[in-house]
Amino acid sequence: MYVAVKGGEAAIRNAHRLLADRRRGDRDLPALTIEQIASQLALGVDRVMAEGSLYDPELAALAVRQSRGDLIEAIFLIRAFRTTLPRFRAAEPLDTGAMHIERRVSATYKDLPGGQLLGPTFDYTHRLLDPSLAGDASVPEPERRAAESLPRTPRVTDILGNEGLIEPDGDRTDEPGDITRDPLDFPANRDLRLQALARGDEGFLLALGYSTQRGYGRTHPFVGEIRIGLVDVEVDLPEFGFPVTIGRVRVTECQMVAQFVGTGDEPARFTRGYGLVFGQSERKAMAMSLVDRALRADEFGEERRSPAQDEEFVLEHCDNVAATGFVEHLKLPHYVDFQAELDLLRTINSEREASREREASPGRERDMSSQEAAE
């Protein structure tokens, strides 16, 4: 037993050294800096912050470097670090209506107050490799507008809400739950669902959102608005008696305008799907808003028939850290379990073969008796 333990320790130690070597790569090349990763691989860093539930670009960039670019491993690292941090205050709800906007597009109104702002996006680029990016070609400075010249940008859903054409935004007065402190139970309130979706795996939510578009769910939405930018984070300090701004975070918000509902007592109006994530991550915010609307089926008396409408299925499987742990644990030793199943399989096959021989034996005995009688 002692030899096995020492042998395992040596193998693990050597594996760690090999991992560090592969992570560093060619020693003739300069090592990646945290600043380079945070600045030039910002979308990957944003995903790590969003799904790691911790807004810190430098720590997320460190996790990306440590994980050799494996974003789920980086998310795992950030989640683990997050558990060591004290929590001293809950922030006030973010006022995204006062966002310092970097990008804002709407698929419902061409001309809307504040206008459309394309911002940094791949939407209008050709999906062709650019050989010039293999080097360090100079990049011209972008066009900028003075912050003072930016017009007011009311949200599209506010415009619809003023006409009574969309359901109210909802105004909770009770304290929201926290899935990082309390286990998720079903049925879950919408605040808990949104928390789970915000830190859920982008690919999983994207697939579910896509499924709702293909008929596996009752969503026929329009993108009311996507906006990306900086919002103030405020906390209410009792000794001051008013909220105090402690910093700014970049977020992506998506408001989906979904199919309308109405009854004999209430006028018909659109419904909402909502997505909000850290950083620039509009694909994730859009997928989140699609799934959010699908999960609200019970609120509107809709039949739940599709995976995206199944609350327990979605929330129990959208977390990539939990999914990774459960899938990758299969790599760990299962020698005893496997040997037990191997022995069981051999026993089953042995008994089956013995049964076949017993079934064939009476026939052979009758043939032998007939042959003896003939002789």
Side-chain angles (χ1 to χ4, degrees), residues 46 118 126 141 153 163 167-168 207 215 229 231 251 282 364 372 374:
D46 285 350
L118 299 187
H126 297 295
E141 288 291 326
T153 52
E163 297 185 53
E167 62 169 320
V231 292
V251 297
E282 59 193 72
R364 285 202 299 269
E372 291 174 355

Side-chain angles (χ1 to χ4, degrees), residues 12-278:
I12 291 171
R13 185 167 55 250
N14 289 336
H16 288 171
R17 291 181 60 184
L18 181 58
L19 174 62
D21 174 75
R22 296 292 174 85
R23 178 166 49 224
R24 176 57 183 88
D26 189 343
R27 304 308 198 276
D28 293 332
L29 299 175
L32 278 173
T33 66
I34 301 305
E35 292 77 12
Q36 283 177 309
I37 297 172
S39 175
Q40 299 176 42
L41 299 178
L43 297 186
V45 169
D46 285 350
R47 178 179 176 184
V48 172
M49 292 193 301
E51 297 177 23
S53 299
L54 180 66
Y55 192 91
D56 191 316
E58 290 187 1
L59 284 178
L62 175 62
V64 170
R65 177 176 176 178
Q66 183 175 333
S67 66
R68 300 178 64 199
D70 183 337
L71 295 189
I72 294 182
E73 178 68 19
I75 291 163
F76 202 157
L77 292 170
I78 287 296
R79 292 264 193 101
F81 179 80
R82 184 181 183 277
T83 63
T84 69
L85 300 177
R87 184 176 308 191
F88 61 90
R89 187 73 62 186
E92 295 293 300
L94 297 179
D95 182 7
T96 57
M99 179 185 292
H100 181 81
I101 292 179
E102 300 172 357
R103 170 168 163 78
R104 183 213 192 195
V105 293
S106 171
T108 53
Y109 290 97
K110 179 182 178 182
D111 300 312
L112 69 163
Q116 311 251 11
L117 186 63
L118 299 187
T121 178
F122 294 110
D123 287 353
Y124 312 102
T125 62
H126 297 295
R127 264 58 177 198
L128 300 172
L129 287 175
D130 184 355
S132 67
L133 294 178
D136 189 15
S138 62
V139 178
E141 288 291 326
E143 297 288 336
R144 298 181 184 274
R145 289 188 293 178
E148 307 82 52
S149 68
L150 294 176
R152 282 184 52 81
T153 52
R155 289 169 291 195
V156 166
T157 50
D158 295 335
I159 299 173
L160 292 171
N162 291 336
E163 297 185 53
L165 297 177
I166 194 168
E167 62 169 320
D169 202 3
D171 187 16
R172 288 190 55 153
T173 57
D174 55 326
E175 188 74 17
D178 187 345
I179 63 172
T180 67
R181 289 186 166 189
D182 302 310
L184 191 61
D185 197 11
F186 300 102
N189 292 329
R190 192 179 179 204
D191 61 319
L192 297 176
R193 295 201 304 261
L194 288 172
Q195 288 178 46
L197 296 178
R199 62 194 245 141
D201 182 75
E202 179 180 323
F204 181 80
L205 295 180
L206 181 63
L208 286 177
Y210 176 48
S211 74
T212 69
Q213 299 299 96
R214 299 189 64 247
Y216 295 91
R218 291 178 53 85
T219 55
H220 306 283
F222 302 91
V223 174
E225 183 177 1
I226 295 172
R227 56 172 58 196
I228 302 171
L230 296 169
V231 292
D232 291 337
V233 178
E234 297 180 335
V235 295
D236 188 7
L237 300 179
E239 55 268 31
F240 289 171
F242 55 84
V244 175
T245 300
I246 61 172
R248 277 182 164 183
V249 295
R250 179 175 285 104
V251 297
T252 301
E253 180 184 53
C254 177
Q255 294 258 18
M256 284 285 180
V257 179
Q259 74 271 15
F260 55 82
V261 296
T263 65
D265 299 329
E266 296 183 0
R269 54 190 177 185
F270 289 111
T271 56
R272 300 172 183 256
Y274 187 73
L276 181 78
V277 292
F278 283 150

Side-chain angles (χ1 to χ4, degrees), residues 256-308:
M256 284 285 180
V257 179
Q259 74 271 15
F260 55 82
V261 296
T263 65
D265 299 329
E266 296 183 0
R269 54 190 177 185
F270 289 111
T271 56
R272 300 172 183 256
Y274 187 73
L276 181 78
V277 292
F278 283 150
Q280 180 176 347
S281 186
E282 59 193 72
R283 184 191 301 122
K284 167 70 175 291
M286 292 178 69
M288 178 181 170
S289 62
L290 288 170
V291 177
D292 169 55
R293 175 58 184 85
L295 290 175
R296 300 181 66 200
D298 290 346
E299 294 181 43
F300 305 112
E302 299 166 354
E303 186 179 359
R304 295 196 297 172
R305 296 183 298 178
S306 303

